[in-house]
């Protein structure tokens, strides 16, 4: 009835191309989206028919009226409506197609707060640093927070200033790591569906602009590092070797996720030294090992998003190495991770509240592994992002355990 009413209204009023588009969007929104943006047309959908009187409508442009047919009208509004409908359909990530077995088409670029609120000149740099994807900062920051809190004197709260410094450092170093990764991988990113629209790969930023931005990020990070003791300065600076070499590992080995674990969990070593000025291997090494094993779990799941593209491009990952045995492997990594965390807490004489929280974290990790659909990019990403809660549960256990010590 809505379509018929709009058809009659369009004859009474001066016809406009937008009235045609609005009518079709109501009668068959996916059909309209596929016409406006062909990239989103990979949807198995029954052919639809527009009300015959509307489909025959011609438009003219005389005295501020449109000249031309329906095709011209759609072409005229494409530049404006394309972004509008693209934003609507990708915000839910729910388009499904028969060509990919009903899997979600979640690999298209989505609009974020960066595109909506930041100045146009700043947006490429914000995307380069992944400011709209804070999960990387969380995953980098949690091992730092674990270590700082574990190093705190029994019965006391951790140093808030120290945690703030490490939080800011995690934010900056994660952004710098993304910049390094995009600069070194720009030839690969153009061939991978999920990464082809990154600023350097797409040409929004030149390599020189990316390198200049990297220098700015590292300069800010240096300001934070200089506020720590000398032991921590040397230890922190040495992590740059890992940061710069990690992107190359996917070309050399099927275990780049292990190398990422060594890089991302360096804060487990650094947090302790920032408090004590030295390392306690009995406590810190099991904590660091737990972080590396945790990374092997979540980044292997994450790598399953790109396994088809990785095969085409010729890069390696644990997702390709493990294949159908992925869940068996990551289960083993998960058990070893929890065991290492328990050993670190035991050696630190932490209080009993640590262990119930550790059991809860174990449940969260088990949920990830058992329920993840490794053939679904959307589900792999959801499980990957959920690891911020694993980190939060472990941190809560360390905090309450240290207060109860």
């Amino acid at each position: 009835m809505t379509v018929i009413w709009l058809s009659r209204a369009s004859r009474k009023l001066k016809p406009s191309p937008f009235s045609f588009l609005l009518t079709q969007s109501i009668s068959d929104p996916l059909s309209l989206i596929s016409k406006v943006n062909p990239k989103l047309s990979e949807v198995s959908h029954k052919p639809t028919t527009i009300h015959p009187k509307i489909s025959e409508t011609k438009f003219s442009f005389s005295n501020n009226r449109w000249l031309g047919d329906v095709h011209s009208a759609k072409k005229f509004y494409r530049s404006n409506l394309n972004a509008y409908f693209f934003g609507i359909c990708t915000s839910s990530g729910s388009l499904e197609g028969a060509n990919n077995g009903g899997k979600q088409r979640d690999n298209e670029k989505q609009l974020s707060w960066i595109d909506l609120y930041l100045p146009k000149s700043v947006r490429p740099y914000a995307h380069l640093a992944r400011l709209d994807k804070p999960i990387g900062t969380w995953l980098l920051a949690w091992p730092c927070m674990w270590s700082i809190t574990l190093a705190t004197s029994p019965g006391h709260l951790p140093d808030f200033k120290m945690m703030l410094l490490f939080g800011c450092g995690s934010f900056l170093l994660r952004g710098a790591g993304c910049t390094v990764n995009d600069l070194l991988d720009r030839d690969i990113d153009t061939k991978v569906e999920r990464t082809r629209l990154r600023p350097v790969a797409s040409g929004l930023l030149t390599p020189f602009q990316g390198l200049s931005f990297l220098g700015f990020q590292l300069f800010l990070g240096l300001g934070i590092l200089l506020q720590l003791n000398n032991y921590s300065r040397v230890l922190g600076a040495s992590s740059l070797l890992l940061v710069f070499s990690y992107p190359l590992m996917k070309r050399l080995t099927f275990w780049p996720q292990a190398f990422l674990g060594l890089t991302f969990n360096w804060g487990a070593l650094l947090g302790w030294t920032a408090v004590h000025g030295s390392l306690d291997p009995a406590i810190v090494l099991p904590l660091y090992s737990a972080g590396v094993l945790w990374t092997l779990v979540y980044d292997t799941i994450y790598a399953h998003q790109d396994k088809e593209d990785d095969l085409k491009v010729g890069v390696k990952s644990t997702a390709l190495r493990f294949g159908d045995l992925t869940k068996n492997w990551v289960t083993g990594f998960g058990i070893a991770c929890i065991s290492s965390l328990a050993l670190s807490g035991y050696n630190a004489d932490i209080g009993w509240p640590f262990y119930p929280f550790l059991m809860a974290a174990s449940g969260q990790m088990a949920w990830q592994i058992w329920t993840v659909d490794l053939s679904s990019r959307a589900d792999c990403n959801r499980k990957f992002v959920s690891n911020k809660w694993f980190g939060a549960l472990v941190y809560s256990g360390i905090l309450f355990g240290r207060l109860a010590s």
Side-chain angles (χ1 to χ4, degrees):
M1 291 299 294
T2 304
V3 173
I4 296 173
W5 180 85
L6 284 171
S7 174
R8 291 173 179 173
S10 67
R11 293 198 300 271
K12 293 179 182 180
L13 300 174
K14 291 180 180 181
S16 70
F18 185 74
S19 65
F20 166 79
L21 294 172
L22 177 61
T23 303
Q24 188 172 359
S25 69
I26 295 173
S27 63
D28 188 8
L30 288 179
S31 175
L32 175 60
I33 291 170
S34 68
K35 288 180 174 62
V36 174
N37 191 339
K39 291 182 180 180
L40 300 175
S41 63
E42 299 176 16
V43 179
S44 177
H45 197 67
K46 294 180 179 180
T48 58
T49 57
I50 309 170
H51 194 277
K53 293 183 179 179
I54 296 177
S55 63
E56 295 171 2
T57 303
K58 302 290 183 180
F59 302 107
S60 62
F61 191 82
S62 178
N63 296 328
N64 295 326
R65 294 173 62 196
W66 182 263
L67 266 178
D69 56 9
V70 172
H71 176 73
S72 301
K74 289 185 288 184
K75 185 176 181 182
F76 177 79
Y77 277 92
R78 182 171 296 165
S79 60
N80 292 325
L81 291 179
N82 184 40
Y84 176 72
F85 285 111
F86 183 73
I88 291 175
C89 67
T90 56
S91 63
S92 62
S94 61
L95 286 180
E96 299 180 353
N99 292 336
N100 59 5
K103 300 297 185 296
Q104 292 181 322
R105 296 283 297 170
D106 58 321
N107 57 337
E108 297 287 350
K109 180 177 173 63
Q110 300 183 17
L111 293 178
S112 70
W113 61 267
I114 292 176
D115 305 293
L116 296 175
Y117 301 114
L118 293 186
K120 190 174 181 179
S121 59
V122 177
R123 292 174 195 170
Y125 297 99
H127 281 297
L128 185 60
R130 314 284 199 275
L131 296 189
D132 56 339
K133 298 176 181 178
I135 180 60
T137 301
W138 282 115
L139 296 177
L140 191 62
W142 279 130
C144 304
M145 305 308 171
W146 299 347
S147 186
I148 292 171
T149 306
L150 202 59
T152 303
S153 300
H156 292 80
L157 290 170
D159 187 342
F160 178 77
K161 179 185 176 182
M162 189 68 68
M163 294 183 67
L164 183 61
L165 283 175
F166 273 79
C168 294
S170 298
F171 175 78
L172 291 170
L173 188 60
R174 187 270 179 132
C178 291
T179 303
V180 172
N181 184 79
D182 286 11
L183 287 170
L184 295 178
D185 281 355
R186 61 185 183 275
D187 56 329
I188 295 176
D189 287 346
T190 58
K191 304 173 185 177
V192 177
E193 185 67 22
R194 185 178 58 84
T195 61
R196 62 186 176 82
L197 294 178
R198 286 178 175 174
V200 178
S202 64
L204 286 175
L205 292 177
T206 65
F208 178 76
Q209 289 174 313
L211 194 61
S212 299
F213 183 56
L214 174 62
F216 174 70
Q217 291 171 301
L218 294 178
F219 176 75
L220 294 179
L222 178 63
I224 292 177
L225 188 63
L226 292 177
Q227 298 183 57
L228 306 179
N229 56 56
N230 290 333
Y231 192 104
S232 299
R233 291 173 185 174
V234 175
L235 187 63
S238 63
S239 68
L240 292 178
L241 296 174
L242 295 172
V243 172
F244 280 91
S245 56
Y246 158 69
L248 303 175
M249 292 300 108
K250 62 174 69 70
R251 297 169 172 86
L252 305 176
T253 176
F254 279 102
W255 294 85
Q257 280 69 31
F259 207 83
L260 178 67
L262 297 174
T263 307
F264 249 52
N265 295 278
W266 200 254
L269 306 175
L270 194 59
W272 185 277
T273 63
V275 175
H276 290 292
S278 62
L279 285 173
D280 187 338
I283 298 173
V284 176
L285 291 184
L287 185 68
Y288 182 55
S289 299
V292 174
L293 292 161
W294 177 39
T295 304
L296 277 166
V297 173
Y298 67 68
D299 207 53
T300 297
I301 292 174
Y302 184 78
H304 271 272
Q305 296 181 95
D306 300 328
K307 54 189 175 184
E308 291 85 3
D309 290 320
D310 288 347
L311 280 172
K312 295 176 185 177
V313 176
V315 297
K316 302 175 177 67
S317 71
T318 49
L320 295 178
R321 172 65 179 82
F322 302 153
D324 295 336
L325 297 177
T326 290
K327 290 196 175 185
N328 296 339
W329 278 90
V330 296
T331 297
F333 294 143
I335 293 172
C337 170
I338 298 301
S339 301
S340 296
L341 285 170
L343 178 61
S344 179
Y346 176 80
N347 290 341
D349 293 324
I350 200 166
W352 67 266
F354 170 70
Y355 298 99
F357 278 99
L358 187 60
M359 291 178 63
S362 304
Q364 199 278 339
M365 181 176 285
W367 166 78
Q368 288 184 57
I369 297 170
W370 292 344
T371 64
V372 64
D373 181 359
L374 295 174
S375 63
S376 169
R377 293 184 176 186
D379 196 45
C380 287
N381 188 66
R382 277 193 294 269
K383 296 304 189 295
F384 168 73
V385 171
S386 75
N387 278 278
K388 62 189 175 191
W389 300 116
F390 176 87
L393 286 168
V394 173
Y395 175 76
S396 298
I398 294 175
L399 175 64
F400 289 110
R402 185 50 81 200
L403 289 174
S405 297

